[in-house]
């Protein structure tokens, strides 16, 4: 029996008090006053949001487990400053920790980081350490563009990011590269900004020696790797022209794509060009694309269907994509799997 | 007999004196002095560069005609100011005009526009008019991000761009949406910035009523539409969730993808999801990806092979992609075709 582990779920429908507090926090920052105290949220309120949404869909669609992190679009590090970001990350991550504690067999927690456009990574490293060592988190989401579409931070391969990578390697946790809401009006958050963020990060890794410096660093590029599989030939050619190895070799132990690609031909392409060892099952639900595809009659983001049906995959490949690769990338997931077995 | 019209070629290997003058122009701008006079370049110098490169490859690969524009990465509108951009566009477009005059049966000219991050579109409109009415150009390249990766201009659907669209409609010429060199170090010009530009522009059109205001405006999104075909399901879902029509309907008369996708699985996907009426043959050579794919033994950018071999296309579709659609989109190409028939 293969377990089905969804490596990319966000807590998108939250207790109302949590969202309301965020608005108060933002208003207080604008007014130059202190944010109010974070409200008490009961376990029942958390259960309600989870059971009506993610848990229901996980069960309906035949998954077993979701690697779960705060709502990506709401990370919004361009809002406020470092202290706003620290508090916001803490309360978001605490909620994720509570979800995982309430449903330990279903949700494995991944944290957001309190990145802020003008700040260094000190607070992000501290929050990562808190989440992993004190609350059992197994990974983090890393935003390559805290500015929200103005791209003011250095490339992810710049040594500026190295202290975070050192901590990730020390804790043995991977990061999913994930931008947040677009503040720049030229971009649509979930349609273009997310996908551009994926493509941009991949190319940075492609052209660098980052994994010589961090041979055990593991990075997940979501949304099927952005544009990368569709342009696999272009990126192979550019790599080879720049004296880099074949893409399979570059990504081998370090870069993984998820399966958040919402149609059968896209998943078929992903499965055709990217080695099965580098693909992790994911749906990103309830997320970017809600609703039923009128042509297929099924939910756009019910990605397990596409994996099940792809003629490019055999059972061994499916086993890797659904379970094996997630266990390899999220090494801290092991403990829980053993504990719940 | 189907003609094979490549809708996306740039003049990438240029007479040395042209490139040298550009360096002098940039240096003069930096120094606050006047640029030197543009050098005399003989027809033989132009013939040499063309015959050793584009013309040789066009013939080797079995194409008939290339719709030809200035080197995209060198447009670099973030360099200098409006007056630098105007002069640079004029000399680049004049060269393209000379190539087309020397080889009227092979090259059809498309112009760059003297966009500049701080300028309005007055000079771009004037240059478009000059090229089309005085030199027989049949289209233009339009840069959605003259800042080179900081994305400071308004979305292409903003009324700020409307005077240009009005002129395009009046002249009945299409635009290829094409960014230039990345000035922002997070982006790699041909690998991530180009592809992100394509995806970004498509989503802007997807979410707007631009084509209600300009029902005959025709826009080509190069590089196979960026990430769009790979994420066709995602974009369909986002469109439907926002009360927009199906993508086929949105793009129908106005948006076209080229075939600059450098591997067989990518072209197969493009052909599977995008209607054949909306695909134009292109190779972008000699351009982003030079050299031979060691796995296939053929040039990465020899895209005609992928079209010829795609199991998703029949002869009728190939005829549209190679010729029919280009004649429809570039209505001014007709004259020349009749003249050379």
């Amino acid at each position: 029996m293969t377990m089905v582990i969804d490596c990319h779920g966000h807590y998108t429908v939250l207790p109302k008090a949590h969202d309301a507090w965020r608005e108060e926090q933002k208003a207080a920052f604008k007014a130059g006053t202190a944010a109010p105290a974070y409200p008490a949220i009961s376990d029942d309120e958390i259960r309600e949001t989870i059971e009506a949404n993610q848990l229901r869909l996980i069960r309906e669609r035949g998954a077993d487990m979701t690697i779960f992190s705060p709502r990506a679009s709401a990370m919004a590090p361009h809002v406020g400053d470092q202290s706003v970001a620290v508090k916001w990350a803490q309360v978001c991550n605490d909620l994720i920790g509570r979800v995982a504690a309430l449903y330990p067999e279903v949700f494995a927690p991944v944290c957001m980081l309190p990145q802020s456009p003008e700040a260094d990574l000190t607070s992000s490293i501290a929050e990562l350490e808190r989440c992993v060592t004190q609350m059992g988190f197994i990974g983090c989401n890393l935003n390559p563009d805290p500015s929200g579409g103005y791209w003011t931070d250095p490339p992810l391969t710049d040594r500026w990011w190295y202290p975070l990578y050192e901590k990730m390697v020390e804790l043995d946790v991977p990061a999913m590269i994930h931008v947040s809401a677009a503040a720049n009006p030229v971009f649509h958050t979930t349609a273009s900004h997310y996908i551009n963020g994926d493509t941009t990060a991949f190319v940075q890794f492609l052209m660098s020696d980052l994994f010589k410096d961090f041979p055990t660093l593991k990075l997940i590029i979501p949304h099927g790797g952005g544009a990368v599989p569709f342009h696999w030939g272009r990126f192979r050619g550019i790599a080879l022209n720049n004296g880099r190895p074949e893409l399979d070799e570059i990504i081998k132990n370090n870069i993984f794509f998820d399966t958040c690609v919402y149609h059968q031909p896209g998943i078929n392409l992903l499965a055709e060009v990217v080695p099965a060892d580098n693909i992790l099952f994911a749906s990103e639900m309830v997320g970017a694309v809600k609703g039923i595809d009128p042509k297929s009659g099924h939910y756009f983001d019910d990605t397990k269907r596409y994996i099940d049906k792809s003629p490019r995959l055999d059972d061994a490949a499916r086993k890797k994509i659904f379970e094996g690769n997630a266990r390899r990338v999220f090494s801290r997931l092991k403990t829980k799997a053993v504990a719940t077995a």
Side-chain angles (χ1 to χ4, degrees), chain A residues 2 33 60 79-80 106 143-144 177 190 200 297 324:
Chain A
T2 303
T33 59
E60 279 177 20
V79 172
V106 182
N143 186 342
I177 309 300
T190 53
T200 301

Side-chain angles (χ1 to χ4, degrees), chain A residues 56-251:
Chain A
R56 176 177 63 81
L57 292 169
I58 288 169
R59 289 185 174 147
E60 279 177 20
R61 298 180 184 181
D64 296 295
M65 191 161 205
T66 289
I67 295 174
F68 203 52
S69 62
R71 187 167 37 164
S73 63
M75 298 190 298
H78 60 277
V79 172
D81 60 10
Q82 178 65 95
S83 73
V84 167
V86 164
K87 180 69 183 168
W88 178 232
Q90 285 171 351
V91 300
C92 288
N93 291 332
D94 286 351
L95 264 195
I96 294 293
R98 290 178 64 188
V99 171
L102 287 169
Y103 306 94
E105 73 290 1
V106 182
F107 293 102
V110 155
C111 63
M112 62 181 274
L113 301 175
Q115 296 176 254
S116 187
E118 304 296 323
D120 71 11
L121 292 163
T122 309
S123 297
S124 291
I125 292 167
E127 178 63 4
L128 176 65
E129 188 147 39
R130 181 182 82 92
C131 290
V132 174
T133 61
Q134 295 176 30
M135 300 198 290
F137 279 49
I138 65 170
C140 62
N141 290 337
L142 175 59
N143 186 342
D145 174 31
S147 76
Y150 296 97
W151 291 95
T152 50
D153 266 34
L156 288 172
T157 48
D158 192 282
R159 299 187 76 85
W160 188 82
W161 300 90
Y162 274 28
L164 176 67
Y165 300 148
E166 282 159 14
K167 182 55 71 180
M168 286 170 55
V169 165
E170 179 198 320
L171 296 171
D172 197 17
V173 292
M176 178 173 280
I177 309 300
H178 206 309
V179 296
S180 184
N184 187 332
V186 303
F187 300 118
H188 180 286
T189 297
T190 53
S192 51
H193 190 44
Y194 279 17
I195 303 298
N196 290 353
D198 306 333
T199 309
T200 301
F202 179 83
V203 175
Q204 293 172 357
F205 303 138
L206 171 70
M207 302 303 280
S208 88
D209 284 325
L210 179 64
F211 304 118
K212 280 196 183 153
D213 290 340
F214 297 99
T216 63
L217 186 66
K218 292 185 179 63
L219 303 170
I220 301 158
I221 305 198
H223 321 109
V228 175
F230 181 50
H231 285 289
W232 200 248
R234 186 180 189 88
F235 292 137
R236 280 187 59 227
I238 289 174
L240 297 175
N241 281 345
N242 282 277
R244 312 284 311 161
E246 284 281 351
L247 300 189
D248 291 6
E249 195 53 43
I250 291 174
I251 68 176

Side-chain angles (χ1 to χ4, degrees), chain A residues 264 267-268 271 305-313 318:
Chain A
Q264 190 69 52
I267 290 289
N268 292 350
R305 282 182 174 277
Y306 312 130
I307 312 283
D308 286 339
K309 288 191 179 172
S310 177
R312 297 286 171 184
L313 296 168
R318 283 195 189 88

